[in-house]
Amino acid sequence: MNAAPATPVIDTHVILRDGDKILLSQRGGPYGYGRWHAPSGKLDQGEPLSRGAARELREETGVEVDPDHLRLVHVVHHKQSTAVERIGLFFEATEWQGEPVNREPEKCLDLRWWSVHELPEDIIEYPAAGLLGYLGGAQALTEHGWQ
């Protein structure tokens, strides 16, 4: 075991849910091109988690959510590679304002509502672990990619 402290990237993911529909975005950047995930992004240094999640949602979709209306629903500790690990915090937006629009067309090919009963098969594995952990409700933590 390495005695050095972990330095994971901290990601926030926002699950925007309307009844049995969840908003997903289709990646347009090099990581996961063409595949789906929830609106997400890296936490900025010195930024509170809920504020970072609200900022990422607004930047990507134009949807406004008060950080007080974000509920932490799942955590994923993801081993991306031997050198990079990530901690993804998955929040459900309990109230929000606005209709989602693609505000980052250079990074996002599409925004689409999906039924929780008919999610696309090509969700990126790391965010899929958090989304499915949230939907399954069994445990609060998923350790992904550590085998």
Side-chain angles (χ1 to χ4, degrees):
M1 178 72 74
N2 186 346
T7 56
V9 175
I10 300 173
D11 298 315
T12 61
H13 305 254
V14 178
I15 299 168
L16 201 61
R17 187 167 182 170
D18 187 6
D20 76 338
K21 304 271 188 206
I22 290 179
L23 184 72
L24 297 178
S25 62
Q26 189 177 36
R27 299 244 349 138
Y31 172 73
Y33 183 88
R35 298 181 69 194
W36 297 91
H37 69 104
S40 62
K42 295 177 197 76
L43 185 69
D44 290 343
Q45 187 172 6
E47 183 177 44
L49 288 166
S50 58
R51 194 173 307 154
R55 174 185 53 76
E56 285 292 345
L57 181 65
R58 180 181 60 256
E59 287 175 1
E60 293 184 13
T61 69
V63 171
E64 296 284 344
V65 63
D66 183 317
D68 290 337
H69 294 289
L70 290 171
R71 181 173 68 94
L72 182 64
V73 294
H74 203 76
V75 176
V76 175
H77 189 194
H78 171 65
K79 185 172 184 179
Q80 183 171 319
S81 68
T82 56
V84 178
E85 60 185 84
R86 307 177 87 86
I87 295 179
L89 296 117
F90 290 75
F91 293 90
E92 178 185 40
T94 58
E95 293 180 30
W96 71 87
Q97 293 82 41
E99 289 298 318
V101 295
N102 184 358
R103 293 190 58 191
E104 296 183 330
E106 70 285 356
K107 297 180 184 177
C108 176
L109 301 174
D110 193 11
L111 288 176
R112 190 178 308 169
W113 292 98
W114 293 85
S115 167
V116 296
H117 308 291
E118 297 177 25
L119 294 172
E121 292 182 17
D122 58 346
I123 300 175
I124 298 169
E125 290 82 1
Y126 158 41
L131 182 58
L132 296 175
Y134 155 73
L135 291 172
Q139 296 181 344
L141 172 67
T142 299
E143 292 176 332
H144 182 262
W146 289 91
Q147 279 84 18

